[in-house]
Amino acid sequence: MNTNKKTREPLFHLIKRANVPAWQPWAIRIGALLLGFIIMGILCMISLETNPIDAWKYMFKGAFGIGTTAKTAKFKTLALLRDLSLLLLFALAVTPAFKMKFWNIGAEGQVLMAALFSMMCIQYFGGKVPNVPLIFICLAAAMIGGIIWAVIPALFKAKWNTNETLFTLMMNYVVIQLIIFMIKVWVPNGSQSLAPSAYANLPKIAGEDFWFTIIIALALTAFMFVYLRFSKHGYEISVVGESENTARYIGIKVKKVIIRTLIVSGIVCGIIGFLLVNGINHTVSEKDAGGRGFTAILVSWLAKFNPIFMILTAFLVVFLTKGTEGIMEENQITNEFFSQVLIGIMFLLIIACEFFINYKIVFRHRTAKPQPVLAVSESQAAGSVDDRSGEAAEAPVEGASTALQTDETADQAAKEE
Amino acid sequence: MEHEIAIQMKNITKTFGPVVANRGVNLDIRKGEILSVLGENGCGKTTLMNMIAGIYYPDEGQIFVNGEEVTIKSPKDAFRYKIGMIHQHFKLIDVFTAAQNIALGVKKGRYSLKKVAAEVRDMCDRYGFQIDPKKMIHEMSVSEKQTVEIIKVLYRGADILILDEPTAVLTPQEIRTLFKVLREMKKDGKSIVIITHKLNEVMEISDRVAVLRKGEHIATVDTKDTSEKELADMMVGKKVELNIDRKDPVDPKPRLFIEHLYVKNKEGRYAVEDVSFTINGGEILGIAGIAGNGQKELLEGIAGLQRVSKGDIIFHNPKKNKPVTFFHKKLRQIKRMAAEGFFHDPQGNKVDFKGKSNKEIIRLVNEEQVLFYEDEIIDLRHRTPRQIQELGIKLSFVPEDRLNMGLVGNMSIVDNMALRSYRKGRSIFVNKKRPKALADKIIRELEVVTPSDMTPVRRLSGGNVQKVLVGREISSSPKVLMAAYPVRGLDINSSYLIYNLLNQQKEKNVAVVFVGEDLDVLLALSDRLLVISGGKVAGIVDARKVTKEEVGMLMLSNAKADAHAVKTAAENAAEEDKQ
Amino acid sequence: MTLAVWISFLAAAFNLSAVFLFGSTGEIVVEKSGHLNLGIPGVMSVGAAAGCMTVYSLMKAGITSEFALLFLPMLSTILAGGLMGLLYSFMTVTLRANQNVTGLAMTTFGLGLAGHFMNGLKANFGKIASASYAYKNFFKVDVKLGDTGFVNSMKQIFLSHGFLVYFAIIVAIVAQIILSKTRTGLHLRAVGESPATADAAGINVTAYKYIATIIGCAIAALGGLYAIMEHLFGRWDYVCEGFGWLSIALVIFTIWRPGLAIPGSIIFGALYILKEKWLVTNETIKFAIKVLPYVMTIIVLIITSIVGSKKAQAPGSLGTNYFREER
């Protein structure tokens, strides 16, 4: 029998999960989402006096236009798709760097720089160069802009290990001011915005100007997936991200990989900036990125840097944005604040649920009660936690100790010595 | 009872997932004694002590301090019961001074670093330490850091000190000082526990020895009633003799000439100074020395991983009249070398490939129609690690760095195999077929215990990780294989497997460099032994003739006290080597 | 430019510096525990909103006591900031969530929350503004405008401000003293440098991280309140986001030292004033001034990384969460 006294043991402790079944993380994430929706419903009820069920309905209405006319529904769905593909593109831009553990939180600035470069070409060459070549000039300029803004912090990171998180964060604000300044140069009369340009606009597909964005987003997702998963570059990125020492050891030039990867990021940012200017807005503004550079970090991180999963996580974020906008619309609220609150809560819940995916809480002295559902799979693998107090612990564990040491904790035990 | 008991552990069991670290351990620690906890790597001795120190919590069992049952949930609790542990990896804060580190976590009286410094000096006088309380940790030597750790524990008023492998990082002089200090502390009534696997130290310092094996407590005996042999038998369970099958080298030919090599360490000081020696193919060159005397920098310098400040590394490839192959050379390289007149055909005519298509060249090379005119001599300095590896110089690294250098912990065995070969081929994609075949071959031939070849190496045990690493390194037919502490942290069976692998490589005419710490192993495995001390060559000796004591002397040669005595020995050895 | 303009410019710069000083002192305290809180803009907004709402409630209830108008809103700002800090530390310390992601989500959440509540008070902004005198006048020294004599000028620059300016300086000095001279500060720095070491030394890492984050966020929140009640004369505006990011920049600019943040915040304040209201009409120079705080921060970041001095680096464990069993 267990000889320990109840009162003097820790109530619970944490164990890092190893070998979890594939469905489990998704079950936890869906659980967190459901909880989030319930909280959203309750908040809407308290704050807006909207029936939660109505609130959820409004979300779908806001996102897909369900319950409205077919035309609105189509419009809303397409708008959702456009936002989804933009956010996805931002996430694709940050992902290679993140995989390398280069915490680039400056996608916002990199895209804005690209957009500004593209706009500069329009401003200075518009009308002087035919449209088709101009489009390509814009694309090239945008890519150069994106690359410059992404590579500067990379150079310093590679050479002097300068903190890239803070560096890229600061770079964002420099571009924002630069755009405000350039608009003032181009529009001296003091109006804060630049009128849409007639030059170098991408052709509309099926009468809409955002199909380009959607197609390019899908193509780049596929490209990035293959690039990261199967290419030699992708392999080097993984090695550098996991262990710089090993990378050096096998002769990977870490600096080169850092810079090359940020060039890839910069190119993607360039494409986004180009699409924003030449495809969607036909103008430039410091608000063009709309915080997507930050949201994309969440999208990429939640998807564990896997571009395919990022479609899902980006969809989730866009659905939440559009959905909460739908709720606001129904309540005639014109500002975005309450929807920001709801989205913020949802984000925090989703972030928090990763904890339950990565860690298991082991409670002591619950021998009579069943283990929490979350802990079942591992406790079975490890020779049930419940059995530890009794003689039963001997049998499963004895065999295990001589058998495969595959558990992470086994590795820890080995490292200890 | 004649002996007062400070700590009593009853029936302690601790498991990590499926692995039992300790099972039903009963152990007493008496007041005013030095107790050695002896056991092989991985026997659970550190885990056991960690449970007294509050790092781990036992799954089962009781701990009594001064006869009272206690719960030790955290290091803080341990301090409350006057237990302090000095871990193998020092837990000090680099940017703090010694005094700040010592004051850390202690809440007695008003906070005043001056007072702490005064107390530290006091303690230094009492026990014979030497430390400057105002010195920053990152400016300190390992032994100074250890001293800070010990003072830290004493400052908290610990009566029971647990030291985890305290001598592993120290020079013999420092060990002597440490032991003196420990004896002083014992006289002062403190209980001291030393976790170790070094028998000689156990015999020298401890009053009693507790032997652990595979997580179980085998016995606790009085040191005076036992012998090294008896302890070793208890420790390993069965009698193990160092029975390494060492063949005489067959026609050793020089492979690498290291000439007046200087390499700086991270702090910018010379870690390797004026080191010269030769590495021969077909023999094992052991490198002996106390850890941290420049071995790491020397090997990394040769492998191109560290900048070499001065000196040359000449790679000698005995290729005269041997066919060139695509194994270590690319077509481009072969063409360039041909133009420079490196090759001749079997008839003795110069080959320059003029006017020949690539296809023809490839055919000629594959038919072994292209032979080297002279031995290939290459200076490796200024070459990238990759170029050096492609010449066939492979490095297998320190266990504690295995997952940090050499392998990627979160990648599967297959992906880790690809580390060496992924660049091959023109494709922009990584070819995983060959790495997979190699992974399966290594798993089969070296008996790597793993659920599958897709298991991340992080999840393998230490021995299996080392097998994967060494297996990969020897798979590419190296010409020089350098292994630094390849058996550290491995059990005896895994160690022997590694020794055998190294011997096999030697028989294949590979030049093997083996950096070790266990002198018995070094003497039993190596053909020649290079002793390094303070970053300099203290001597190069014949491992078959030299005695352990002589090597020990050489290892200390740069210590001032013995400098003169050993200098001659080193010179003699060096002369011997030249002949 | 006349001397009088210069003096009032310096006075305004000094006046605004308190926003950055609160923000960066708070963030330094948080970062010293090893947590990079990118949620500071959200924290400052929420703090400002909580303070303003308290001011409004007091005014609505007819309470005009300067003391109440000053300290009750401060209290609620501190509480609101503390709660945000609690949320952040629960996420990153207990749940070990990624710090960057959590911080950014908190910024979204905080900006939304503050906006949502303040938007509801839109019609009553005047009431809040009318209470700003409490902040302006408490502790303030009278100066004769236009008198450019030395004593009067010094008075105008340094003493013609509300109480919170001096409170910010006191907080920064106290933070500096605690960090460098006390046991608590030693422990906090240890937690931020190497939580495993601190843990082994018996320091309650979790408690230190929680308390530092909560206190730090409460301090930063005061910056938000100050920005509204003193800098903007009680007129609510959504300025806290920009101030928040600048405060994070200031932390790096002052290499994690609250003492240095005092002059640093005055420099940032001067640059901000320069572009907002004063002296500069040329757009190019205006632009240069606007980006200067960020560019200077980047330069400091680069220089400290090149020099590599151990004393000027970010806390060792900044950005990584601590899990005891993971070694």
Side-chain angles (χ1 to χ4, degrees):
Chain A
M1 277 311 292
N2 197 328
T3 48
N4 293 321
K5 286 178 211 153
K6 285 191 178 190
T7 48
R8 34 176 205 85
E9 283 192 14
L11 176 62
F12 61 86
H13 69 165
L14 301 173
I15 295 179
K16 253 203 167 176
R17 283 175 195 272
N19 302 333
V20 287
W23 57 268
Q24 199 178 314
W26 292 102
I28 294 172
R29 285 187 193 122
I30 290 166
L33 276 182
L34 290 178
L35 182 65
F37 280 111
I38 291 169
I39 292 176
M40 279 170 95
I42 293 170
L43 281 179
C44 288
M45 196 162 70
I46 295 168
S47 195
L48 307 174
E49 290 165 1
T50 308
N51 179 344
I53 293 170
D54 285 339
W56 296 326
K57 269 193 206 154
Y58 296 153
M59 287 193 79
F60 282 91
K61 199 170 166 185
F64 302 110
I66 292 171
T68 58
T69 62
K71 202 179 154 198
T72 325
K74 188 188 159 203
F75 176 76
K76 291 238 176 200
T77 311
L78 286 175
L80 179 112
L81 276 180
R82 183 196 59 191
D83 278 18
L84 168 62
S85 38
L86 267 179
L87 183 59
L88 188 56
L89 281 167
F90 272 85
L92 291 172
V94 294
T95 297
F98 277 16
K99 208 148 185 221
M100 203 175 57
K101 299 217 165 79
F102 182 103
W103 302 110
N104 171 18
I105 59 175
E108 190 101 354
Q110 287 142 24
V111 167
L112 286 176
M113 200 64 188
L116 183 65
F117 267 51
S118 176
M119 198 66 216
M120 271 185 196
C121 292
I122 295 176
Q123 285 288 328
Y124 297 121
F125 302 128
K128 294 169 199 158
V129 178
N131 254 342
V132 175
L134 186 57
I135 286 177
F136 286 98
I137 292 172
C138 284
L139 178 61
M143 283 183 180
I144 290 168
I147 290 171
I148 289 174
W149 226 235
V151 161
I152 292 173
L155 283 171
F156 284 99
K157 172 78 176 180
K159 187 90 175 100
W160 289 294
N161 199 22
T162 309
N163 184 322
E164 76 281 7
T165 314
L166 300 168
F167 201 139
T168 48
L169 179 70
M170 296 301 131
M171 300 265 293
N172 288 340
Y173 301 101
V174 177
V175 203
I176 288 175
Q177 298 304 335
L178 190 60
I179 290 183
I180 294 173
F181 170 67
M182 289 310 287
I183 291 173
K184 282 193 179 137
V185 171
W186 291 326
V187 193
N189 66 9
S191 97
Q192 306 262 312
S193 62
L194 192 63
S197 147
Y199 303 111
N201 290 338
L202 285 174
K204 292 186 176 184
I205 299 179
E208 303 287 356
D209 53 9
F210 45 70
W211 281 113
F212 248 112
T213 316
I214 295 170
I215 292 164
I216 288 174
L218 284 176
L220 270 181
T221 307
F223 167 80
M224 202 55 89
F225 178 74
V226 173
Y227 180 74
L228 291 175
R229 178 65 70 88
F230 300 111
S231 80
K232 288 177 181 173
H233 285 188
Y235 185 78
E236 288 181 341
I237 289 171
S238 303
V239 175
V240 172
E242 291 288 345
S243 164
E244 271 193 34
N245 272 330
T246 301
R248 269 186 342 111
Y249 167 86
I250 59 161
I252 294 176
K253 287 181 185 135
V254 175
K255 290 173 187 178
K256 191 179 120 190
V257 174
I258 290 178
I259 291 165
R260 185 183 68 203
T261 307
L262 266 288
I263 289 177
V264 172
S265 275
I267 289 174
V268 180
C269 287
I271 293 172
I272 303 170
F274 167 76
L275 287 171
L276 281 173
V277 169
N278 300 60
I280 299 170
N281 298 327
H282 311 300
T283 176
V284 72
S285 138
E286 78 278 6
K287 296 189 180 76
D288 275 353
R292 287 193 186 91
F294 296 126
T295 319
I297 296 166
L298 185 75
V299 168
S300 175
W301 182 76
L302 282 178
K304 300 265 177 295
F305 313 131
N306 180 332
I308 303 290
F309 288 161
M310 271 159 29
I311 299 177
L312 281 179
T313 50
F315 169 75
L316 174 70
V317 170
V318 174
F319 173 76
L320 286 174
T321 319
K322 293 276 168 190
T324 50
E325 272 172 21
I327 300 177
M328 301 307 121
E329 214 171 280
E330 291 294 326
N331 289 285
Q332 273 102 46
I333 296 172
T334 49
N335 63 61
E336 77 277 28
F337 300 120
F338 192 62
S339 85
Q340 265 185 331
V341 174
L342 295 180
I343 292 168
I345 290 174
M346 204 64 161
F347 282 179
L348 290 173
L349 274 171
I350 302 169
I351 298 164
C353 90
E354 291 296 308
F355 169 78
F356 296 98
I357 294 169
N358 292 326
Y359 298 91
K360 184 178 84 168
I361 303 175
V362 180
F363 290 93
R364 305 235 167 225
H365 294 293
R366 287 273 189 93
T367 43
K369 292 172 196 164
Q371 285 286 306
V373 180
L374 302 180
V376 163
S377 68
E378 173 146 312
S379 55
Q380 282 166 347
S384 172
V385 180
D386 301 358
D387 292 335
R388 253 181 221 179
S389 53
E391 63 294 326
E394 290 286 307
V397 146
E398 170 119 70
S401 71
T402 48
L404 309 180
Q405 297 197 347
T406 54
D407 199 297
E408 182 173 11
T409 44
D411 185 50
Q412 268 172 22
K415 267 187 217 158
E416 269 313 304
E417 291 295 324
Chain B
M1 285 255 295
E2 54 176 327
H3 299 287
E4 267 188 279
I5 289 177
I7 296 184
Q8 190 175 22
M9 302 177 89
K10 270 194 186 165
N11 203 24
I12 299 285
T13 297
K14 175 79 188 171
T15 56
F16 292 100
V19 179
V20 184
N22 291 116
R23 183 183 305 138
V25 175
N26 293 297
L27 185 67
D28 296 343
I29 300 168
R30 292 174 186 164
K31 281 190 180 155
E33 74 163 349
I34 298 181
L35 172 72
S36 289
V37 177
L38 180 69
E40 278 195 279
N41 286 317
C43 71
K45 50 193 193 296
T46 304
T47 310
L48 182 68
M49 288 301 128
N50 271 336
M51 280 187 276
I52 315 180
I55 304 288
Y56 292 139
Y57 191 81
D59 295 340
E60 265 181 68
Q62 294 153 289
I63 298 171
F64 297 87
V65 174
N66 297 325
E68 257 178 72
E69 189 176 354
V70 296
T71 312
I72 305 173
K73 281 185 285 193
S74 67
K76 212 171 170 177
D77 290 347
F79 290 133
R80 196 178 316 135
Y81 301 116
K82 295 179 178 282
I83 303 165
M85 182 153 169
I86 292 116
H87 297 270
Q88 213 174 347
H89 302 288
F90 300 138
K91 300 195 165 159
L92 296 170
I93 290 171
D94 260 8
V95 293
F96 282 12
T97 63
Q100 283 177 324
N101 267 291
I102 289 162
L104 204 62
V106 187
K107 291 189 184 97
K108 53 181 184 187
R110 215 175 61 81
Y111 173 73
S112 153
L113 285 176
K114 269 191 196 141
K115 224 173 66 192
V116 176
E119 270 187 67
V120 168
R121 276 187 211 107
D122 216 40
M123 246 179 257
C124 286
D125 294 343
R126 185 145 40 122
Y127 297 121
F129 295 117
Q130 279 208 320
I131 204 84
D132 172 11
K134 282 188 184 154
K135 199 166 172 184
M136 295 284 254
I137 298 298
H138 64 87
E139 295 166 350
M140 286 187 176
S141 72
V142 183
S143 139
E144 281 177 298
K145 287 180 190 169
Q146 187 180 56
T147 308
V148 175
E149 281 281 11
I150 295 173
I151 297 177
K152 210 168 108 179
V153 167
L154 290 173
Y155 183 76
R156 274 148 222 262
D159 284 337
I160 300 149
L161 280 85
I162 305 164
L163 293 97
D164 191 356
E165 308 251 358
T167 58
V169 289
L170 301 183
T171 64
Q173 278 73 16
E174 289 167 341
I175 293 175
R176 225 173 295 149
T177 319
L178 173 71
F179 282 1
K180 218 166 81 192
V181 167
L182 293 182
R183 286 196 193 99
E184 288 295 321
M185 290 197 285
K186 178 181 135 188
K187 258 186 234 160
D188 211 35
K190 313 240 181 236
S191 310
I192 292 153
V193 181
I194 295 182
I195 303 171
T196 181
H197 56 224
K198 294 183 185 167
L199 287 169
N200 56 340
E201 287 170 6
V202 169
M203 300 305 289
E204 189 185 336
I205 187 82
S206 55
D207 300 312
R208 293 193 306 148
V209 192
V211 184
L212 258 66
R213 187 170 75 221
K214 288 184 178 159
E216 285 179 75
H217 180 222
I218 302 301
T220 303
V221 291
D222 284 346
T223 316
K224 59 180 190 307
D225 302 335
T226 188
S227 65
E228 282 195 28
K229 194 167 170 322
E230 195 189 0
L231 288 175
D233 288 348
M234 277 196 272
M235 193 166 114
V236 295
K238 60 183 178 204
K239 198 172 165 243
V240 176
E241 272 180 21
L242 279 182
N243 198 357
I244 297 168
D245 180 24
R246 172 170 60 185
K247 300 216 168 74
D248 282 334
V250 185
D251 184 27
K253 283 216 181 85
R255 271 289 185 176
L256 265 184
F257 298 94
I258 311 297
E259 284 166 11
H260 305 291
L261 201 70
Y262 288 79
V263 185
K264 280 181 183 166
N265 63 8
K266 271 187 221 136
E267 285 78 39
R269 286 192 291 269
Y270 282 116
V272 174
E273 265 182 271
D274 197 17
V275 166
S276 302
F277 60 94
T278 311
I279 305 173
N280 294 330
E283 69 168 27
I284 296 182
L285 174 74
I287 296 186
I290 293 132
N293 268 266
Q295 296 96 320
K296 185 174 184 280
E297 288 82 1
L298 176 63
L299 262 54
E300 291 192 0
I302 296 172
L305 294 169
Q306 291 241 15
R307 227 181 72 82
V308 171
S309 312
K310 267 191 266 176
D312 287 303
I313 307 157
I314 309 292
F315 179 63
H316 192 107
N317 211 354
K319 280 289 187 186
K320 191 169 179 177
N321 294 333
K322 285 198 183 137
V324 64
T325 64
F326 285 118
F327 199 87
H328 287 309
K329 285 194 174 51
K330 287 180 185 148
L331 179 63
R332 190 157 37 85
Q333 270 171 305
I334 291 178
K335 274 164 88 175
R336 185 175 49 75
M337 289 171 76
E340 289 168 18
F342 272 89
F343 304 127
H344 65 94
D345 63 13
Q347 288 75 41
N349 306 317
K350 268 233 155 108
V351 173
D352 58 7
F353 295 141
K354 260 188 196 134
K356 289 206 167 68
S357 71
N358 284 352
K359 224 177 201 173
E360 266 177 283
I361 299 172
I362 292 169
R363 186 183 55 81
L364 281 172
V365 171
N366 284 339
E367 286 174 3
E368 307 194 339
Q369 296 293 313
V370 185
L371 307 179
F372 277 94
Y373 196 73
E374 280 295 343
D375 287 351
E376 222 183 342
I377 290 170
I378 303 163
D379 193 344
L380 298 185
R381 206 183 147 191
H382 311 305
R383 281 181 189 253
T384 65
R386 205 172 125 195
Q387 289 170 324
I388 293 172
Q389 283 157 17
E390 278 168 2
L391 287 168
I393 297 167
K394 307 283 174 170
L395 188 54
S396 152
F397 242 102
V398 197
E400 61 182 292
D401 281 356
R402 272 183 298 231
L403 292 177
N404 195 14
M405 192 159 211
L407 295 173
V408 179
N410 279 332
M411 284 188 173
S412 69
I413 301 177
V414 172
D415 280 353
N416 271 292
M417 292 299 141
L419 279 173
R420 277 284 186 233
S421 59
Y422 80 95
R423 284 194 197 87
K424 287 217 172 101
R426 287 250 174 89
S427 161
I428 57 164
F429 296 112
V430 179
N431 177 355
K432 292 273 172 76
K433 269 185 209 142
R434 255 187 300 185
K436 187 170 162 53
L438 178 60
D440 293 343
K441 187 174 159 225
I442 288 173
I443 292 170
R444 205 172 51 241
E445 288 179 4
L446 304 188
E447 292 161 6
V448 177
V449 181
T450 172
S452 87
D453 55 11
M454 292 309 285
T455 308
V457 290
R458 178 173 53 85
R459 298 223 182 128
L460 303 179
S461 73
N464 288 315
V465 172
Q466 186 68 358
K467 285 181 199 170
V468 169
L469 177 57
V470 175
R472 187 189 70 199
E473 293 308 298
I474 60 179
S475 71
S476 52
S477 315
K479 297 198 174 89
V480 180
L481 178 66
M482 300 189 284
Y485 308 111
V487 298
R488 194 190 272 174
L490 265 56
D491 61 39
I492 285 195
N493 284 333
S494 307
S495 300
Y496 270 84
L497 202 134
I498 300 292
Y499 301 147
N500 289 338
L501 282 175
L502 295 179
N503 267 324
Q504 281 168 20
Q505 290 300 307
K506 162 181 152 185
E507 282 158 32
K508 284 185 189 164
N509 225 13
V510 174
V512 181
V513 180
F514 170 77
V515 179
E517 45 196 344
D518 187 330
L519 276 185
D520 294 313
V521 173
L522 275 164
L523 289 173
L525 184 68
S526 323
D527 297 302
R528 286 186 309 146
L529 198 56
L530 181 144
V531 188
I532 192 166
S533 171
K536 293 179 180 151
V537 177
I540 299 171
V541 292
D542 186 337
R544 287 182 177 76
K545 289 179 193 152
V546 76
T547 65
K548 209 169 155 183
E549 287 69 29
E550 284 167 337
V551 177
M553 286 285 277
L554 286 172
M555 281 163 65
L556 310 178
S557 63
N558 272 4
K560 278 169 195 140
D562 310 327
H564 184 69
V566 184
K567 203 178 163 197
T568 40
E571 274 167 5
N572 292 343
E575 266 165 39
E576 257 180 39
D577 185 59
K578 273 179 197 160
Q579 285 151 12
Chain C
M1 257 182 312
T2 64
L3 191 56
V5 176
W6 270 111
I7 290 165
S8 49
F9 160 67
L10 288 177
F14 186 66
N15 186 287
L16 180 61
S17 74
V19 178
F20 303 119
L21 192 52
F22 275 126
S24 65
T25 307
E27 176 72 1
I28 289 171
V29 172
V30 180
E31 288 193 18
K32 281 286 177 190
S33 76
H35 286 241
L36 177 66
N37 184 359
L38 296 179
I40 284 293
V43 172
M44 287 172 82
S45 304
V46 169
C52 289
M53 283 163 66
T54 313
V55 170
Y56 167 70
S57 320
L58 291 171
M59 295 295 283
K60 207 172 134 196
I63 296 166
T64 50
S65 142
E66 252 185 43
F67 189 79
L69 280 176
L70 197 59
F71 289 102
L72 289 179
M74 265 177 75
L75 198 65
S76 57
T77 298
I78 288 171
L79 275 177
L83 279 175
M84 289 292 278
L86 182 65
L87 176 64
Y88 177 82
S89 36
F90 177 70
M91 295 286 296
T92 55
V93 180
T94 301
L95 299 186
R96 294 167 180 85
N98 181 304
Q99 293 178 14
N100 295 341
V101 179
T102 308
L104 294 171
M106 282 207 20
T107 290
T108 308
F109 172 68
L111 294 177
L113 197 65
H116 175 64
F117 283 112
M118 289 315 289
N119 212 44
L121 289 184
K122 225 174 200 168
N124 302 296
F125 283 175
K127 259 194 180 133
I128 300 170
S130 67
S132 73
Y133 72 91
Y135 290 82
K136 285 268 163 204
N137 294 342
F138 193 84
F139 200 75
K140 181 181 164 181
V141 173
D142 281 325
V143 287
K144 292 182 234 77
L145 284 175
D147 177 355
T148 53
F150 181 75
V151 175
N152 193 61
S153 306
M154 286 296 121
K155 269 188 189 169
Q156 192 182 342
I157 294 172
F158 294 112
L159 295 175
S160 67
H161 311 285
F163 150 79
L164 278 175
V165 178
Y166 311 105
F167 187 58
I169 293 172
I170 293 168
V171 166
I173 292 171
V174 169
Q176 182 68 64
I177 290 171
I178 289 178
L179 281 174
S180 54
K181 299 274 183 231
T182 68
R183 182 175 290 146
T184 314
L186 182 77
H187 288 186
L188 178 60
R189 282 190 290 145
V191 167
E193 283 298 334
S194 165
T197 306
D199 195 8
I203 296 168
N204 189 336
V205 174
T206 310
Y208 267 90
K209 281 176 181 260
Y210 261 89
I211 292 169
T213 310
I214 290 170
I215 291 178
C217 286
I219 295 172
L222 282 174
L225 178 71
Y226 179 86
I228 302 300
M229 293 312 288
E230 173 124 13
H231 175 62
L232 294 180
F233 303 97
R235 284 188 288 272
W236 175 262
D237 197 0
Y238 303 96
V239 290
C240 286
E241 187 178 5
F243 285 149
W245 295 126
L246 277 166
S247 300
I248 292 173
L250 187 58
V251 173
I252 309 155
F253 185 66
T254 58
I255 49 172
W256 290 269
R257 278 174 215 179
L260 285 180
I262 298 170
S265 64
I266 297 174
I267 296 173
F268 272 41
L271 289 169
Y272 198 91
I273 293 292
L274 213 53
K275 69 145 207 226
E276 280 297 287
K277 307 183 173 154
W278 292 78
L279 310 169
V280 179
T281 45
N282 180 313
E283 286 298 335
T284 312
I285 298 176
K286 212 168 171 178
F287 160 72
I289 291 167
K290 274 183 183 175
V291 296
L292 207 52
Y294 303 111
V295 174
M296 287 192 314
T297 303
I298 290 172
I299 290 169
V300 169
L301 200 57
I302 292 170
I303 290 173
T304 52
S305 67
I306 292 174
V307 173
S309 152
K310 293 233 175 202
K311 283 183 177 169
Q313 297 297 321
S317 75
L318 187 67
T320 46
N321 295 328
Y322 175 57
F323 180 49
R324 183 190 283 174
E325 306 208 352
E326 183 176 42
R327 267 176 274 244

